[in-house]
Amino acid sequence: GELDRVRAYGRLLAACGINAVSVNNVNVHAAEARLLTDRIGEVADIAAVLRPYGIRTHLSVSFAAPITLGGLSTADPLDGAVRGWWAEATRRVYEAIPDFGGYVVKADSEGQPGPFAYGGSHAEGANLLAAALEPFGGTVHWRAFVYDHRQDWRDRTTDRARAAYDHFVPLDGEFAGNAVLQVKHGPMDFQVREPVSPLIGAMPGTRLAVELQATQEYTGQQRHVCWLGPMWSEVLRFRPEPGWTAGELARGGLVAVSNAGDDPFWTGHPLAQANLYTFGRLAWRPDAEPRAVLDEWIGLSFPDAPRELADGLHAVLDGSWRTYEKYTAPLGVGFMVQPGHHYGPSVDGYEYSPWGTYHFADRDGIGVDRSVKSGTGFAGQYGEPWAGLYASPDTCPDELLLFFHHVPYGHVLKSGKTVIQHIYDTHFEGVEEVEEARSVWASLAGLVDPACHSRVAERYEEQLRGAREWRDQVNSYFFRKSGVPA
């Protein structure tokens, strides 16, 4: 029955080198909240199936559980009754699942309850759960995705990118030994291009886990080919300060939002399985060469693949992240997506929203001024050499220019092109690259299982349609804004 699928999932995860799983999403609603108490038996059944594959089961919990499940009037982390409730609930969890891994918590984030309601800090919140788990060897993964999602778009001084650093750096050294602060790899939200979060490297006294997103929420949602290995590798090899890479600083491990579901191909797009596999391999070897990992995945997924098939798979996967970036949001500006579901283009979709995701395009220019001199100061959260490089549009890497600076359309990039010409050209190139990948895939028809081949071919039609829509909306928008002909 249902557990057969869980067993197959355990085997899939073990084959990727993944050794822990949280059975529910971090947004914990009323039904999932009860997995902690009267539905713990269901979690124990899942844990029993995953155990032979070396996978420990974790649970996402709501900070308000003592109120919603325990009938208490408060969830204050310093309240004795609250501490007692968590201790008892946790003891029962370990009675049912002796090797239970621990809790995952999203608190004070996007409407989820947390310690701020009681004037408490996030260290106090995390330590409450760490204390309940400690006698049993469990870990609390406390997410650092905390920001004001009710921002006033007219106020240019607030900056969502600053939030995690501002909240958490003052708490360095205050987290319990079995608490892990789980930090998204970029300061915003899994965009196709972001700088590495300045929190990584800024908290030497805290166990940090780096969180990646295998599911392609902002990178085509498994309808577009977008192999993220090269992006993750850049993040993990980034040196926040001389001597240490982000991968080495992630002492709490690597975590991902998974892309597996109930689809016959697991990830909806058969080629998106490469992201799950690459994540598992980089978790153990953050400095691994991503293309070598891709070779492994091709060899395991298409055993005895003839040279032509292996080369074809490389051709369509290798550059797919850069291709996706070309036809979507340029130069690190991010978003420009349809609100809510985040699939497909809407250049102003979030421009006047409270979510803090702006591009500030006007008739003269585009980008967010995050400099210390004239902007939000975010660039100053980095150590050297990065703070210095990001400080000025002249030294900022082109691919992050619009993340850190508001520049005129005529600003000349290091490539020699103006920003507006770069936007026009890359959007045409991106579509051409998708057309090329689609024909490479078509040429492999006789070498791949027919059901798999036709699913990918189908997805390529949707990717091409989507890429053309992105190109036409983005280029038309910036032509109308700037008046500069393509």
Side-chain angles (χ1 to χ4, degrees), residues 36 56-59 61 83 86-91 93-94 97-98 100-105 125-142 178-180:
L36 176 64
R56 281 178 87 173
T57 299
H58 297 239
L59 198 55
V61 295
R83 300 177 84 81
W86 277 110
E88 179 55 21
T90 304
R91 187 185 64 73
V93 169
Y94 278 92
I97 312 165
F100 179 73
Y103 299 139
V104 184
V105 190
N127 292 347
L128 160 73
L129 297 170
L133 290 159
E134 204 268 334
F136 308 99
T139 304
V140 57
H141 281 79
W142 189 270
N178 63 323
V180 170

Side-chain angles (χ1 to χ4, degrees), residues 54-72:
I55 296 165
R56 281 178 87 173
T57 299
H58 297 239
L59 198 55
S60 294
V61 295
S62 163
F63 194 76
I67 301 173
T68 53
L69 302 171
L72 300 186

Side-chain angles (χ1 to χ4, degrees), residues 23-43 59-70 85-86 89 93 100 103-104 112-113:
V23 299
N24 58 321
N25 188 301
V26 290
N27 297 311
V28 182
H29 305 105
E32 305 95 76
R34 290 174 39 233
L35 293 170
L36 176 64
T37 50
D38 55 317
R39 292 179 62 187
I40 193 65
E42 296 169 48
V43 183
L59 198 55
S60 294
V61 295
S62 163
F63 194 76
I67 301 173
T68 53
L69 302 171
W85 186 87
W86 277 110
V93 169
F100 179 73
Y103 299 139
V104 184
Q112 295 292 322

Side-chain angles (χ1 to χ4, degrees), residues 265 302 445 447-454:
F265 294 104
F302 300 89
L447 304 172
V448 180
D449 166 69
C452 173
H453 190 274
S454 81

Side-chain angles (χ1 to χ4, degrees), residues 37-343:
T37 50
D38 55 317
R39 292 179 62 187
I40 193 65
E42 296 169 48
V43 183
D45 291 345
I46 293 170
V49 172
L50 295 177
R51 188 170 293 118
Y53 295 102
I55 296 165
R56 281 178 87 173
T57 299
H58 297 239
L59 198 55
S60 294
V61 295
S62 163
F63 194 76
I67 301 173
T68 53
L69 302 171
L72 300 186
S73 60
T74 179
D76 184 338
L78 302 182
D79 183 286
V82 170
R83 300 177 84 81
W85 186 87
W86 277 110
E88 179 55 21
T90 304
R91 187 185 64 73
R92 289 209 181 107
V93 169
Y94 278 92
E95 247 168 37
I97 312 165
D99 59 350
F100 179 73
Y103 299 139
V104 184
V105 190
K106 173 179 178 175
D108 289 315
S109 173
E110 303 184 328
Q112 295 292 322
F116 284 168
Y118 306 99
S121 77
H122 275 239
E124 288 168 344
N127 292 347
L128 160 73
L129 297 170
L133 290 159
E134 204 268 334
F136 308 99
T139 304
V140 57
H141 281 79
W142 189 270
R143 290 176 90 240
F145 189 51
V146 176
Y147 69 96
D148 174 13
H149 70 290
R150 296 194 181 88
Q151 290 182 20
D152 181 350
W153 55 268
R154 288 160 286 231
D155 174 7
R156 298 286 276 258
T157 63
T158 54
D159 182 4
R160 169 171 165 179
R162 287 188 60 111
Y165 185 101
D166 287 345
H167 282 309
F168 287 100
V169 167
L171 303 176
D172 188 34
E174 292 180 22
F175 288 86
N178 63 323
V180 170
L181 190 60
Q182 188 170 311
V183 181
K184 289 192 179 190
H185 73 77
M188 292 297 276
D189 194 11
F190 299 131
Q191 297 305 297
V192 69
R193 175 78 65 175
E194 291 185 42
V196 173
S197 168
L199 214 53
I200 302 166
M203 297 187 70
T206 307
R207 280 175 73 196
L208 292 189
V210 173
E211 182 181 329
L212 308 174
Q213 192 178 47
T215 196
Q216 297 161 232
E217 180 183 356
Y218 294 99
T219 49
Q221 299 191 357
Q222 280 95 260
R223 287 177 256 189
H224 298 222
V225 179
C226 189
W227 175 55
L228 297 167
M231 174 168 92
W232 295 338
S233 178
E234 278 185 22
V235 169
L236 295 169
R237 292 178 187 198
F238 179 80
R239 294 183 184 273
E241 52 197 57
W244 295 94
T245 65
E248 289 163 339
L249 291 165
R251 296 197 311 276
L254 221 56
V255 180
V257 186
S258 168
N259 61 355
D262 58 6
D263 187 88
F265 294 104
W266 286 105
T267 52
H269 197 309
L271 302 186
Q273 291 184 21
N275 282 331
L276 191 64
Y277 182 80
T278 303
F279 162 74
R281 295 292 282 117
L282 289 175
W284 294 99
R285 279 211 41 214
D287 61 344
E289 169 49 52
R291 276 166 193 83
V293 175
L294 184 58
D295 276 333
E296 284 176 18
W297 178 78
I298 291 169
L300 291 164
S301 305
F302 300 89
D304 311 317
R307 188 77 263 153
E308 191 193 342
L309 176 55
D311 289 348
L313 285 160
H314 259 285
V316 300
L317 283 160
D318 247 358
S320 57
W321 165 51
R322 306 224 174 226
T323 296
Y324 186 86
E325 181 178 24
K326 281 182 178 181
Y327 63 77
T328 56
L331 301 170
V333 76
F335 294 93
M336 299 188 172
V337 288
Q338 293 280 347
H341 55 74
H342 301 157
Y343 183 74

Side-chain angles (χ1 to χ4, degrees), residues 328-330 333 336 347-348 359-363 365-367 402 409 419-421 423-424 427 470-486:
T328 56
V333 76
M336 299 188 172
V347 181
D348 281 339
H359 56 70
F360 295 127
D362 54 30
R363 64 181 189 174
I366 174 181
L402 302 184
Y409 292 114
V419 165
I420 190 72
Q421 199 59 49
I423 291 172
Y424 293 152
H427 282 78
W470 270 99
R471 174 196 65 193
D472 295 346
Q473 283 206 27
V474 170
N475 282 354
S476 301
Y477 177 97
F478 286 104
F479 171 60
R480 290 175 188 177
K481 270 275 200 272
S482 69
V484 178

